[in-house]
Amino acid sequence: MAMKLLTTNTFSNAATSDFTSLITSAYRLYIFKWYDVNPATDAVLFGFQGNASSQSGYNETITNSSFYAYHAEADSSGLNDGGGLAQETDFVELTNLSGYDADESNAGELFLFNPSNTTYQTHFYGTSNESQRDGRLNNWYFGGYFNVTAAITNIQFKMSSGNMDGVIKMYGVG
């Protein structure tokens, strides 16, 4: 199966990065890859949420879980529960306390399965790496589902506060 680049969002000082077209029944798998996403505000969360067909507000019901491994400059390391959502409409947390310095950013990928299906829930999983504000590298793992049977046609990425710079690419696989 070939992976086809569908679009690239390059943004600077933007509140959100939205994918409002091209998520159709043409592909059963969509992959989003983000590079050098850097917040304008220190210690913020980077996340995503979806929109069902003919809806607005990026507030679909989601259940997910996450965890992350970390290693700090001071040579401490560990594994933490990243939390998650339990039938909530918040944004899925992809990073935690991202730093805003020039040497701090995050990157990762999100796999979105069969978002046009209207019989079953839309599942997702992914991983991300972040330079946290306190000199720590976090490697996140997350997965879950949109608890709606409507087609998910839009995806939005944003920080919990403030603007951001970066690049997010969307691919179709099929």
Side-chain angles (χ1 to χ4, degrees):
M1 295 189 149
M3 192 164 92
K4 180 180 180 186
L5 177 62
L6 302 176
T7 189
T8 300
N9 285 1
T10 302
F11 45 92
S12 179
N13 201 30
T16 66
S17 178
D18 299 345
F19 293 84
T20 58
S21 63
L22 303 175
I23 302 175
T24 67
S25 60
Y27 298 97
R28 293 187 63 175
L29 172 62
Y30 288 85
I31 302 172
F32 298 86
K33 293 181 178 260
W34 59 95
Y35 309 89
D36 297 326
V37 174
N38 186 269
T41 305
D42 199 25
V44 292
L45 309 176
F46 180 59
F48 87 96
Q49 179 46 289
N51 233 9
S53 180
S54 302
Q55 299 297 311
S56 62
Y58 294 99
N59 57 3
E60 301 306 327
T61 301
I62 293 175
T63 293
N64 84 297
S65 62
S66 66
F67 67 93
Y68 63 94
Y70 69 88
H71 192 95
E73 289 177 356
D75 206 26
S76 62
S77 61
L79 186 64
N80 283 337
D81 176 7
L85 304 174
Q87 297 300 298
E88 298 173 52
T89 58
D90 294 336
F91 275 60
V92 174
E93 188 175 318
L94 305 175
T95 69
N96 179 9
L97 303 175
S98 293
Y100 73 134
D101 291 337
D103 66 345
E104 297 172 323
S105 67
N106 68 71
E109 57 189 3
L110 164 67
F111 293 77
L112 183 66
F113 294 93
N114 208 13
S116 294
N117 188 309
T118 58
T119 303
Y120 303 108
Q121 301 154 328
T122 297
H123 290 84
F124 60 85
Y125 80 90
T127 185
S128 65
N129 289 285
E130 92 177 293
S131 294
Q132 198 175 32
R133 66 172 168 81
D134 60 359
R136 191 167 93 174
L137 177 67
N138 293 335
N139 183 220
W140 284 79
Y141 298 89
F142 56 89
Y145 61 93
F146 291 94
N147 196 15
V148 296
T149 54
I152 301 296
T153 56
N154 304 311
I155 296 290
Q156 181 180 79
F157 294 87
K158 72 176 188 175
M159 295 293 172
S160 58
S161 177
N163 291 344
M164 61 185 178
D165 301 328
V167 176
I168 303 177
K169 296 184 177 206
M170 182 175 76
Y171 299 86
V173 179

